[in-house]
Amino acid sequence: MIDVAFLTDTFLRLSAALPVTLGLFISAFLCGGLLAAGILAMRMSRWRLLSGFARGYILVFRGSPLLIQLFLIYYGLGQFGVIRHSIVWPFLREPFICAVLALSLCTAAYTAEILRGALLAVPAGQVEAGLACGMSRWLLLRRIIAPVMLRYALPAYSTEAILLVKSTALASLVTVWDVTGVAQQIIQRTYRTMEVFICAAAIYLLLNLVIVQLYAWLERRLTPVHRVEKKLLPAIKPLAGE
């Protein structure tokens, strides 16, 4: 027998923790994106030192579990006296900050590789055409390279965003009370694992559904075919008398 009242109450209580999950996701998504741009610039640099550092960074954060990275940041950094007596310690002792830091560092490694693949896929002819027109490097990047690269990267980037949402559940292991953390609290009091986790899964599913729709909308906006069709549609009008 389905206990509708319990499911409704659990869903509402888990929904109250959704701002924490969204805060983790948005913070890590923005910080990881900015960090990924820097890693990408170093990865594409002609200087071997910068390129080697970027390669090593990507290898470390893609090759090790996110859970271990989170534990190393939350439990490991506090063992160093230099860090405990520095100005960053008031921030690093906060579980939420540590979770955002771990998520940002990890997603930056994946995002940098996604952007690198998209950058290498930009047709050389379009870049040469822009240079032939006398575009500066900044204008070439803004008008040609960035839109094309972003369009190529969107399918893989949307997958990374979805994985990032699901990865926020790990933050509950360092006492961040997000949706998963609150779900564990409810289970400890009620011992009703199935119902609680079904409600938590439904919330994550709805959140990822919104993200998928946002990426699909952005992909349509950046696809030239759809823009051309949108401009041509108003010109097609029925003739008088038809």
Side-chain angles (χ1 to χ4, degrees):
M1 187 68 180
I2 299 176
D3 190 346
V4 178
F6 177 77
L7 289 176
T8 304
D9 180 66
T10 300
F11 189 84
L12 293 176
R13 293 171 66 182
L14 294 180
S15 299
L18 189 57
V20 178
T21 297
L22 284 175
L24 285 169
F25 168 69
I26 295 173
S27 301
F29 185 80
L30 295 177
C31 294
L34 293 175
L35 186 58
I39 295 297
L40 175 64
M42 289 190 285
R43 179 71 176 82
M44 302 302 292
S45 174
R46 295 178 182 176
W47 292 2
R48 291 187 177 181
L49 183 62
L50 293 178
S51 178
F53 175 80
R55 287 172 183 268
Y57 177 91
I58 292 170
L59 176 64
V60 168
F61 284 97
R62 291 178 68 195
S64 58
L66 175 59
L67 180 61
I68 293 178
Q69 297 168 19
L70 178 61
F71 282 168
L72 285 176
I73 292 174
Y74 183 67
Y75 296 110
L77 292 180
Q79 297 180 3
F80 298 97
V82 177
I83 296 178
R84 284 201 309 273
H85 298 93
S86 66
I87 59 174
V88 298
W89 180 240
F91 301 99
L92 290 180
R93 68 184 178 187
E94 295 294 332
F96 185 88
I97 300 294
C98 290
V100 169
L101 182 60
L103 291 169
S104 302
L105 293 173
C106 185
T107 192
Y110 286 95
T111 304
E113 279 300 275
I114 292 172
L115 295 178
R116 188 176 72 89
L119 179 61
L120 295 177
V122 175
Q126 296 186 14
V127 178
E128 293 173 357
L131 292 174
C133 293
M135 287 185 176
S136 63
R137 290 185 178 276
W138 170 247
L139 185 61
L140 187 68
L141 175 65
R142 187 168 60 88
R143 299 292 295 274
I144 296 179
I145 296 178
V148 176
M149 185 179 74
L150 184 59
R151 191 167 66 245
Y152 287 157
L154 275 180
Y157 202 17
S158 63
T159 303
E160 174 58 23
I162 291 171
L163 291 176
L164 182 59
V165 170
K166 293 191 290 187
S167 297
T168 58
L170 294 176
S172 62
L173 298 176
V174 291
T175 67
V176 176
W177 303 121
D178 65 335
V179 173
T180 304
V182 174
Q184 290 175 347
Q185 287 182 328
I186 297 173
I187 291 172
Q188 289 172 1
R189 288 194 293 266
T190 62
Y191 299 101
R192 302 176 73 166
T193 306
M194 182 67 73
E195 295 97 325
V196 176
F197 275 144
I198 286 177
C199 291
I203 291 175
Y204 283 109
L205 184 62
L206 292 174
L207 185 56
N208 282 325
L209 183 62
V210 172
I211 292 175
V212 168
Q213 294 302 318
L214 286 175
Y215 272 93
W217 174 81
L218 186 59
E219 193 171 356
R220 287 195 299 271
R221 295 282 298 176
L222 292 174
T223 303
V225 174
H226 294 296
R227 293 205 302 268
V228 171
E229 289 178 350
K230 190 175 181 180
K231 291 179 180 179
L232 290 177
L233 281 176
I236 303 174
K237 296 180 179 179
L239 297 175
E242 288 186 355

